[in-house]
Structure formats: C-alpha cells, structure tokens
Amino acid sequence: MKKTIFLLLAIIGSTLSSKAQEVYHDSTALLILDKVGEYFGELNSLKFTTKTSEDVGFRNDFFIKEFRTGEFILQGSNKLAAKVIARGKPQFYYYNGSQIVYYSLEDNYYAASEAPSTTLDLFESLHTDFGVQLVATDFLYPDFTAHLTETMDYIEYLGEAEIEGHKSFHIGAANSEMTFQIWISQEIESRPYKILVTYLGEPYAHQVEVTFDNWEINMNYPESIFEFLPPPNSKQITWTKKD
C-alpha cells in the first residue's frame, strides 16, 4: 500500500516536470500572464474568497490534507483585512500600513507586530518571519511573469479548461523542484480561478491548491476595517518570529 501511494504521488505533475529539463517559455502563456499582472496592477481595491487544501507534514514519512477558507480585502498598497477559518477556528488579520495584528476568535487573544510599508511586502514578511502562508498571492505582484520566467524552466499554455462551469486558460510551469499550474478566466477581467502547486521534494510529493471566488473590485472600504480594536477581556500575547 505504501509503495502504491508513493507511486501515485510521484506521478503528479509528471508531464510538467519531465519538460523542466530544458528552458522553454511559451509566448502565448507569457502574454496571458502579463495581462493578469496588468489587471491587478491597475486596481485600487480588491476583495475575494478562497478555499485551500494543503498537504502538511503529519509524521516524518507522510502528509495529511488540511482545508481552510479565507476572505480577503486589500485596499491601496498598504491595507489588508483577512479572515481565515482553519480546523473550524476563525482567525483574523488586520494591517493598517504600519502594524499587523493577528486575532484568534476562539481563544480571544491577539498578537501585534511592526509591519513593512506595503501589503505585498507584508505577505513575504508573514511567511519568512512567522511561517504564515496567508494566501497564494503570486499573481498580485507586478513582476509576476518575470519571476516565473526566472524561476521556472518550463512555462506553457496548456489549452482551454473548465473550472466549475467557468471557461479558463490553463497554464503550467515547472522546474526541478516544483510544478505550478494556474487557471485564468477567459472573461474580460483576467482573474485566476485556481492555483495548484506541487512540490516534488522528499519524502513525497505534496500539494497546495487554492480556488478563488466572489471577486469585488474598486470598492471604497472604510479605514476602520483595517484597524484592530481589542474585544472585551481579550489578552495580548507575544508574536514570536521563527528562528
């Protein structure tokens, strides 16, 4: 049974990874990705929801699947409000341009830390300093396409696909360590429906899959939603950075 599971996981993304030996960047794929970057670079605000499934280490020799949902509001270059539900527990993040606050509703405690001056830098800081991968945000970066061409040996437009009734462009990318797939709307607004990342390292291949929905753009959100007001009887704890 163990051999069978390993074989199935090893096959995931094999078509992409087999092509990652030589550098190949399909011009059609790059044009589609460029349009995504241009679209998000012109927005003043953005709201969307996510459903995420992720393989996480359970023991040394295997992974388990965990699920979470999220709701995200970004405004300007330095405002973020987010709600993430993981293992049935609601967690909130508030960023006002200078400080990031994490709040656990169930435990009624919060932690605050100084933050970078932009939301995109904040996403990087959360992951690097605190080990928090809040959401897959690659497509929000202005150098999205350039970063893929620098890090991926293989990028190709894989054709049209349908995601939950939505027609989309399917693009795949790969290098020796991972494969990256993205499904992008064929509508006027170039938004992703789904991102799937497969890591090919030991002990087994493992995946992160994010589905995006309920997009709202260029709404005017009040500044107060990005500020954290400690609830009654809440307790502040220290937010410790990774070693």
Side-chain angles (χ1 to χ4, degrees), residues 44 46 210 223:
N44 298 319
L46 179 64
V210 185
E223 294 292 317

Side-chain angles (χ1 to χ4, degrees), residues 117-210:
S117 58
T118 71
T119 306
L120 295 181
D121 287 340
L122 171 70
F123 287 132
E124 291 285 341
S125 174
L126 284 173
H127 183 245
T128 302
D129 296 338
F130 301 104
V132 176
Q133 185 70 54
L134 199 55
V135 65
T137 55
D138 307 70
F139 59 90
L140 293 177
Y141 288 80
D143 60 348
F144 175 40
T145 305
H147 178 70
L148 279 182
T149 57
E150 289 174 1
T151 58
M152 295 294 176
D153 302 321
Y154 163 77
I155 304 173
E156 185 171 358
Y157 171 59
L158 301 176
E160 296 184 355
E162 191 167 299
I163 301 293
E164 298 181 358
H166 301 288
K167 292 187 179 298
S168 63
F169 299 118
H170 184 195
I171 294 173
N175 59 29
S176 61
E177 299 177 351
M178 64 185 290
T179 68
F180 174 87
Q181 297 179 69
I182 185 169
W183 289 262
I184 298 167
S185 167
Q186 290 188 19
E187 303 296 334
I188 295 175
E189 297 173 296
S190 299
R191 303 179 298 206
Y193 286 128
K194 187 187 294 288
I195 288 176
L196 175 63
V197 181
T198 303
Y199 298 95
L200 305 174
E202 297 293 339
Y204 304 125
H206 57 286
Q207 295 184 314
V208 179
E209 181 180 292
V210 185

